[in-house]
Amino acid sequence: LEILSIASCALVAFRSERGESAEAAFKYMMMSSLGAMFVLFSIGVLYGQYDALNMAVLSKRIEYNLLDKIALALLVAAFGMKAGGAPMHMATPDAYGEAPASISIMLVGGSQASLYALFRVVFTIYGGMLDVTSVGWIIIALAIISILIGVSMALLQTDFKRLIGYSAIAEIGYMMLGVGVALAVLNDGATYGTKALEGGIFHILNDALDIGLLFLVAGAVYYTTGKRSLNAVGGLARNMKYTAFFFIIGMAAVSGLPPMNGFASKLLIYESVYQLNPVLSII
């Protein structure tokens, strides 16, 4: 996590002639450092109690006492912060927007890896001891907030890459939604909980491809025109036919349109969420 953060921070500041890049890198560094301290403190708490670092051993020995709950809260906050989920998303759009396109793709990969780490902590270490229903609904609430903030903020953007960055935050919400549903019904043995988890993890892979493609399109537009504002460019499809074609593919996939990969994972999430609560699926 720390090596990833250090490398990412340097790469976000790649365009050193832009003050905005340095600002974005500083924000990213602060959030990453805070998250790394949370993780290190949590590991210390668990190691001090159980004299073990192996996740399987910890899952057998864990007692879910007050210290374990504090460690869990810090781990969820740290990995959620690194993944870019709301309300801990503040540095993510800046980092995605200021880094060169090829680097933004790697930042997306880092976010997805942090989300996977969050799932492993919740299911592998704490899975047998958690009040999973309550934790599941907390994650569902955070997921809905991420979706609403990501989409609503994307509508306001004129910078191409920041728009995609906020869209990526909304997609993180979908992944968290699938996992939240899986946790909420874990004790009930409902089969749709497994489908929700499969959809959430499947969407991690799909989103890395879809958002990565859109960042490459944004990079191609900037490389060709030297402009980032949507208001300053127009009619590019006439001169950048292939780029426009790939942009349509990326947008269709992120929007969940069939037969794209995003449709397959989002359909799993939608169906599972509907069985848990139809109102959530409407939202």
Side-chain angles (χ1 to χ4, degrees):
L1 183 71
E2 290 182 336
I3 292 171
L4 174 66
S5 299
I6 293 168
S8 299
C9 178
L11 290 170
V12 169
F14 183 82
R15 293 198 174 100
S16 54
E17 72 279 0
R18 285 176 55 85
E20 293 88 344
S21 296
E23 179 187 351
F26 181 75
K27 289 180 182 177
Y28 195 86
M29 179 180 68
M30 293 299 294
M31 296 291 282
S32 298
S33 299
L34 186 63
M37 284 191 287
F38 282 0
V39 172
L40 184 60
F41 183 77
S42 302
I43 291 171
V45 167
L46 295 173
Y47 183 58
Q49 291 185 93
Y50 305 113
D51 195 31
L53 294 174
N54 183 275
M55 294 174 74
V57 174
L58 285 172
S59 68
K60 292 178 181 178
R61 295 183 184 177
I62 203 160
E63 299 171 359
Y64 202 51
N65 54 34
L66 179 60
L67 283 175
D68 295 336
K69 292 176 183 177
I70 291 172
L72 174 62
L74 291 174
L75 287 168
V76 169
F79 290 127
M81 190 186 304
K82 189 70 177 172
M88 300 163 287
H89 66 286
M90 290 75 73
T92 306
D94 288 346
Y96 286 164
E98 289 301 324
S102 54
I103 293 168
S104 295
I105 297 174
M106 290 188 280
L107 295 180
V108 171
S111 296
Q112 315 296 36
S114 300
L115 202 61
Y116 178 72
L118 172 61
F119 299 164
R120 286 295 305 275
V121 165
V122 171
F123 280 95
T124 304
I125 299 180
Y126 286 90
M129 301 296 296
L130 278 177
D131 177 7
V132 287
T133 303
S134 299
V135 173
W137 277 101
I138 290 170
I139 292 178
I140 288 171
L142 292 174
I144 295 296
I145 292 170
S146 296
I147 292 170
L148 294 177
I149 288 178
V151 171
S152 59
M153 289 301 295
L155 291 172
L156 303 175
Q157 301 305 310
T158 57
D159 186 298
F160 197 4
K161 288 192 69 188
R162 282 181 68 86
L163 185 150
I164 299 170
Y166 276 110
S167 299
I169 291 172
E171 297 304 309
I172 291 288
Y174 282 101
M175 301 166 205
M176 294 173 66
L177 186 59
V179 174
V181 171
L183 281 172
V185 299
L186 187 64
N187 289 338
D188 301 337
T191 55
Y192 66 85
T194 305
K195 291 296 181 185
L197 182 60
E198 290 173 356
I201 295 175
F202 187 21
H203 200 57
I204 290 178
L205 301 175
N206 288 341
D207 191 56
L209 296 172
D210 305 340
I211 294 293
L213 176 58
L214 291 178
F215 275 129
L216 283 177
V217 170
V221 170
Y222 180 73
Y223 181 80
T224 304
T225 65
K227 297 175 182 176
R228 298 157 55 96
S229 174
L230 295 172
N231 296 331
V233 295
L236 290 176
R238 297 187 188 93
N239 300 320
M240 302 178 69
K241 296 181 177 62
Y242 294 113
T243 308
F245 176 71
F246 285 119
F247 176 71
I248 292 170
I249 290 176
M251 285 306 302
V254 168
S255 302
L257 295 178
M260 302 300 177
N261 59 345
F263 166 74
S265 52
K266 281 189 173 180
L267 185 63
L268 286 173
I269 296 170
Y270 286 145
E271 288 179 334
S272 306
V273 171
Y274 181 83
Q275 292 182 70
L276 176 69
N277 189 319
V279 175
L280 282 177
S281 65
I282 293 168
I283 294 173

